[in-house]
């Protein structure tokens, strides 16, 4: 392992700079740094079969705001260097970008524009796993003029979802087929063994973002009709879902933001009567979260009980939200469930029972003082979820991505086919360290994006997404050779 402290310089022909040393970084760094080693992995042989340029050793620089994080990320990875870098420090940023051919930014999306502008000036390629926002999209002509590729949305969702979708859609179009319906479902979930709480859900990061996402409005097209779902109704719009080839999974899906933009992106807006993208959860998640929301546990305004340094107990806050003045009430799960049902926070008694079980599991009925940092019921809920719904060191997460595309074929043999593609990945434990499925399915595609640019497989310049055949065809081949289980079938 090399670090900045050792003040070593490494002269390499090929270099990749990875910005951000979070969980996603390690699998990306490991894949890229393995190129040129004595035992070339199978996925690299697949890469070379695609008439790609053979690469010399790839040297990976992992940069983080905190050097210790970068050092921990590259531990045990050959051909990797850890450095401390603040992207707001333009001199340092330009210094490190100038040393490589490709930059992978795994930083928060708001930082990508800073990195992209530096890459433009230095004429270096850029890969991100984040959505291409307007600020980056507007750099298309500048990137073409600079002769660089800015490849965004090269993760899981967005990323692998685009690749699988475009492969199916383009294959149908080659056969003169017309897309009748496009349904896409994706979710990061606990493995069944780790789904051991009333919500059947866990967080590997701060829950605040996930809870807020559950309040986003959604729009999709169903049988020619545009459907709008208000944010406050999103949890209640969850629908039961079963995947025939995975019958053991009891799932549900919630509409995921604006599905209509994918009609334009995939070129099916004028032919598909159904365009739907959904988020996967285990069955029951939506009704529980919707009930908790109506109770007021996700309200973000400052709560009177939490003002002026007052530290009530979790139970006192719960009684206030359930409009109970008598501290002697609601001692038992059945009492909490009955109160929830009587207040009309859910339509079914069974849902009230599930919500009560969740409240007790989260410790929201405990006689423990709320932490001083909490100013709202939302803060309290996030804190408890972060504590009680975290993965243990031995538990696995799971990623499930599933597309269903119905295609009408014209002519004498007019018929309809249903094309199905599924990706199912579990977290892995290597040498006592757990690598999450989410980190693998986001980090590996980003690394493959860099690899395809380095090997001159991606020749198009400008701001791209992985919806072009020159990106998704080799990328999907390498993903499968790497070991991702991509299942495709036609009915």
């Amino acid at each position: 392992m090399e670090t900045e402290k050792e003040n070593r310089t490494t002269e390499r022909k090929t270099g990749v700079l990875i910005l951000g040393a979070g969980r996603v970084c390690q699998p990306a760094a490991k894949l890229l740094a393995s190129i040129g080693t004595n035992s070339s992995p199978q996925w690299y042989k697949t890469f070379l079969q695609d008439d790609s340029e053979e690469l010399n050793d790839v040297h990976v620089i992992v940069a983080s705001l905190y050097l210790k994080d970068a050092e921990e990320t590259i531990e045990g990875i050959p051909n990797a260097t850890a450095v401390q870098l603040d992207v707001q420090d333009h001199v340092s940023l330009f210094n490190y970008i100038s040393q490589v051919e490709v930059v992978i930014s795994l930083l928060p999306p708001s930082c990508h524009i800073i990195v992209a502008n530096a890459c433009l000036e230095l004429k270096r390629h850029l890969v991100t796993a984040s959505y291409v926002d307007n600020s980056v999209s507007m750099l298309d002509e500048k990137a073409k003029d600079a002769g660089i590729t800015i490849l965004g949305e090269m993760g899981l969702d967005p990323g692998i979802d685009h690749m699988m979708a475009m492969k199916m859609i383009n294959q149908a179009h080659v056969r003169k087929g017309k897309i009748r319906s496009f349904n896409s479902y994706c979710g990061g979930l606990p493995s069944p063994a780790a789904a051991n709480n009333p919500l059947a859900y866990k967080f590997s990061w701060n829950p605040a973002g996930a809870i807020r996402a559950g309040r986003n409005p959604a729009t999709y097209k169903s049988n020619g009709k545009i459907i709008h779902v208000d944010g406050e109704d999103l949890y209640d719009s969850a629908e039961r879902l079963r995947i025939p080839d995975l019958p053991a999974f009891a799932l549900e899906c919630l509409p995921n933001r604006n599905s209509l933009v994918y009609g334009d992106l995939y070129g099916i807006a004028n032919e598909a009567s159904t365009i739907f993208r959904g988020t996967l959860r285990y069955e029951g998640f939506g009704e529980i979260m919707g009930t908790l929301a109506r109770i007021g546990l996700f309200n973000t305004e400052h709560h009177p009980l939490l003002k002026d340094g007052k530290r009530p107990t979790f139970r006192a806050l719960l009684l206030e939200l359930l409009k109970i003045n008598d501290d002697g009430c609601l001692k038992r799960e059945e009492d909490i469930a009955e109160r929830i049902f009587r207040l009309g926070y859910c339509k079914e008694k069974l849902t009230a029972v599930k919500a009560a079980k969740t409240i007790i599991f989260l410790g929201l009925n405990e006689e423990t003082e709320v932490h001083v940092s909490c100013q709202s019921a939302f803060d309290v809920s996030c804190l408890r979820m972060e504590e009680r719904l975290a993965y243990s060191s031995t538990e696995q997460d799971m990623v499930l991505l599933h597309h269903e595309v119905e295609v009408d074929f014209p002519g004498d043999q007019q018929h309809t086919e249903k094309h199905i593609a599924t990706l199912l990945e579990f977290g892995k434990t290597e040498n006592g360290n757990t690598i999450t499925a989410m980190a693998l399915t986001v980090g590996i595609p980003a690394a493959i994006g860099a690899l395809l640019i380095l090997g001159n497989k991606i020749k198009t310049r400008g701001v791209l997404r992985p919806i072009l055949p020159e990106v998704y065809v080799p990328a999907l081949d390498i993903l499968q050779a790497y070991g991702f289980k991509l299942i495709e079938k036609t009915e």
Side-chain angles (χ1 to χ4, degrees):
M1 182 177 74
E2 300 173 21
T3 69
E4 192 179 46
K5 291 177 178 176
E6 293 169 332
N7 195 29
R8 293 163 66 175
T9 57
T10 313
E11 299 247 321
R12 306 274 178 175
K13 290 185 179 178
T14 308
V16 176
L17 171 66
I18 304 180
L19 300 172
R23 296 169 186 241
V24 172
C25 177
Q26 190 173 44
K30 194 172 181 180
L31 181 143
L32 289 166
S34 68
I35 296 170
T37 54
N38 293 331
S39 55
S40 292
Q42 180 59 45
W43 61 261
Y44 186 57
K45 294 171 186 173
T46 300
F47 167 72
L48 292 177
Q49 286 171 0
D50 287 329
D51 299 324
S52 300
E53 293 180 10
E54 185 163 4
L55 300 172
N56 297 318
D57 291 1
V58 173
H59 186 68
V60 179
I61 301 172
V62 173
S64 175
L65 188 59
Y66 302 102
L67 180 60
K68 185 173 180 291
D69 292 343
E71 289 174 335
E72 288 176 356
T73 296
I74 68 164
E75 191 171 348
I77 300 178
N79 292 344
T81 302
V83 300
Q84 188 280 329
L85 174 64
D86 180 350
V87 292
Q88 301 289 350
D89 181 345
H90 289 264
V91 173
S92 292
L93 181 63
F94 275 60
N95 175 36
Y96 287 116
I97 290 178
S98 67
Q99 296 176 33
V100 301
E101 282 70 47
V102 180
V103 178
I104 300 175
S105 178
L106 301 175
L107 297 169
S110 59
C111 297
H112 293 329
I113 189 64
I114 299 171
V115 178
N117 281 321
C119 287
L120 280 170
E121 193 163 334
L122 294 168
K123 298 188 176 179
R124 299 296 192 268
H125 305 290
L126 173 64
V127 178
T128 83
S130 304
Y131 286 104
V132 174
D133 65 14
N134 288 336
S135 65
V136 174
S137 184
M138 288 170 63
L139 300 178
D140 183 51
E141 287 301 323
K142 288 183 179 179
K144 288 175 181 174
D145 292 343
I148 69 167
T149 298
I150 297 177
L151 176 58
E153 304 188 10
M154 197 68 184
L156 168 67
D157 177 2
I160 301 177
D161 61 342
H162 288 329
M163 299 185 232
M164 289 170 60
M166 289 309 299
K167 180 182 179 183
M168 298 166 82
I169 291 166
N170 282 347
Q171 284 178 342
H173 284 164
V174 165
R175 294 172 56 205
K176 309 301 182 187
K178 176 184 174 185
I179 307 301
R180 176 192 289 186
S181 69
F182 174 81
N183 288 281
S184 172
Y185 312 94
C186 186
L189 297 160
S191 67
N196 50 8
N197 62 67
L199 269 176
Y201 192 73
K202 287 189 175 173
F203 297 93
S204 54
W205 66 96
N206 188 301
I211 296 173
R212 287 193 186 100
R215 313 296 281 166
N216 288 323
T219 305
Y220 60 94
K221 184 160 68 167
S222 178
N223 296 317
K225 184 179 179 182
I226 304 299
I227 308 294
H228 298 284
V229 181
D230 291 335
E232 61 186 28
D233 298 325
L234 191 75
Y235 286 130
D236 296 319
S237 70
E239 292 191 3
R240 183 180 183 272
L241 178 74
R242 294 294 181 270
I243 298 174
D245 290 333
L246 299 171
F249 291 118
L251 301 166
E252 66 183 31
C253 68
L254 298 93
N256 185 4
R257 302 209 184 194
N258 185 1
S259 297
L260 302 184
V261 297
Y262 291 83
D264 297 325
L265 195 62
Y266 298 161
I268 58 173
N270 296 325
E271 59 186 285
S273 59
T274 294
I275 301 174
F276 177 86
R277 294 181 79 250
T279 300
L280 292 175
R281 293 290 181 260
Y282 288 117
E283 195 170 15
F285 178 87
E287 63 179 340
I288 295 172
M289 292 291 280
T291 303
L292 298 183
R294 280 185 289 276
I295 290 170
L297 282 163
F298 302 149
N299 290 350
T300 54
E301 62 269 12
H302 285 204
H303 195 281
L305 282 185
L306 300 170
K307 284 184 177 178
D308 304 322
K310 288 184 282 190
R311 296 296 97 204
T313 63
F314 290 100
R315 177 172 163 73
L317 178 63
L318 177 66
L319 293 176
E320 173 76 13
L321 291 173
L322 292 176
K323 303 177 175 61
I324 294 288
N325 296 321
D326 185 356
D327 189 47
C329 294
L330 304 191
K331 294 285 189 182
R332 302 177 307 156
E333 176 190 304
E334 306 90 90
D335 299 330
I336 296 172
E338 181 63 26
R339 184 63 178 170
I340 290 170
F341 185 68
R342 284 195 175 207
L343 288 171
Y345 293 141
C346 56
K347 295 176 182 177
E348 304 289 337
K349 283 192 174 182
L350 182 57
T351 304
V353 170
K354 292 177 183 178
K357 286 182 183 296
T358 304
I359 284 168
I360 289 171
F361 184 86
L362 293 174
L364 294 169
N365 197 34
E366 292 178 1
E367 296 280 9
T368 311
E369 282 192 358
V370 174
H371 193 271
V372 67
S373 64
C374 296
Q375 301 294 315
S376 66
F378 176 80
D379 294 339
V380 173
S381 297
C382 287
L383 178 69
R384 276 315 210 193
M385 286 182 170
E386 192 169 6
E387 293 170 349
R388 302 288 172 95
L389 300 179
Y391 287 93
S392 74
S393 59
T394 58
E395 288 179 330
Q396 292 178 310
D397 72 327
M398 177 182 96
V399 161
L400 178 55
L401 172 60
H402 181 73
H403 290 333
E404 295 181 359
V405 181
E406 286 186 318
V407 188
D408 291 329
F409 290 95
D412 297 338
Q413 301 294 320
Q414 185 174 352
H415 68 290
T416 300
E417 293 178 358
K418 187 175 184 179
H419 295 249
I420 297 169
T422 306
L423 167 71
L424 176 63
E425 282 297 319
F426 292 92
K428 295 174 173 56
T429 302
E430 296 177 1
N431 303 319
N433 295 321
T434 298
I435 303 169
T436 67
M438 188 62 72
L440 285 166
T441 53
V442 175
I444 296 301
I448 289 172
L451 177 69
L452 293 174
I453 292 171
L454 289 172
N456 202 30
K457 193 68 183 171
I458 298 174
K459 295 182 170 66
T460 302
R461 300 302 179 234
V463 178
L464 314 181
R465 295 177 176 89
I467 57 176
L468 303 176
E470 70 176 296
V471 181
Y472 70 74
V473 171
L476 286 172
D477 287 344
I478 297 169
L479 283 169
Q480 292 199 72
Y482 178 84
F484 282 10
K485 296 174 284 293
L486 299 171
I487 304 161
E488 297 173 272
K489 63 181 289 191
T490 302
E491 294 178 349

